[in-house]
Amino acid sequence: MHILVVEDEQRLAHLLRRVLLEERHTVDLAYDGNAGLNLALSDTYDVVVLDVMLPGIDGLEICRQLRAERMVTPVLMLTARGAVEDRVTGLNVGADDYLTKPFAMEELLARINALLRRRDRHFEEAPQLAVGDLMLDLVRHEARRAGRVIELTAKEFALLEYLMRHPGRVLTRTQIVDSVWRYDLEALSNVVDIYIHYLRDKIDQGFSHPLIKTVRGVGYKIEA
Ligand code: CA
């Protein structure tokens, strides 16, 4: 999974990264609120671990802004010992769980896993994605456009799912590779362009309104 850690105490931040990497997660670090908010708004993370007390924007405000942008990424807040108000406020602004410092790494991993399970259950309850007349059924693993079934390979399906989870949002090649190819070290530098080309052939070919759009110099987005 792709995890963002926003924590200004660098020693703790590096420890968290090491522990999460050992669990085969990929990790981005931010040491202040502004950097953390910008990364979190990219909406490419499976979980955000968010310290409350940060230079710049604090963790509570970051969480509030994520929810205001309708992002549902699970947020685990890190609060100072005894700061009951932080916990209550954290849950009020949309954090999913909190952990009081100092904490054991096992506890952190258990909380993250619980958040991922909860999120997966949420996806199971809404197993279909739609953009215009394009439907993706995550349970039957089936794509349809205008009612017609489209055969996709596993990678094409994963790429399309990633695009459709972020409708209207521009996704960079790096974000796409990180999310869709993850541990596939053999991914070529132009793998995204190649697969977007495959997808377009299958999804947009023959339709007057193409859904997959190129944003020059940045990346791609899907939009009705
Ligand atoms: Ca702090």
Side-chain angles (χ1 to χ4, degrees), residues 7-39:
E7 169 59 74
D8 58 313
E9 290 167 50
Q10 299 213 2
R11 271 180 56 191
L12 176 57
H14 290 145
L15 175 63
L16 291 174
R17 176 166 63 186
R18 205 182 70 214
V19 168
L20 292 169
L21 288 175
E22 280 168 8
E23 296 292 310
R24 306 261 299 153
H25 297 298
T26 56
V27 182
D28 287 339
L29 293 182
Y31 303 117
D32 66 70
N34 297 295
L37 178 61
N38 282 335
L39 284 172

Side-chain angles (χ1 to χ4, degrees), residues 179-192:
S179 297
V180 178
W181 275 269
R182 251 174 245 274
Y183 302 114
D184 190 351
L185 299 175
E186 286 172 25
L188 304 165
S189 61
N190 60 341
V191 71
V192 172

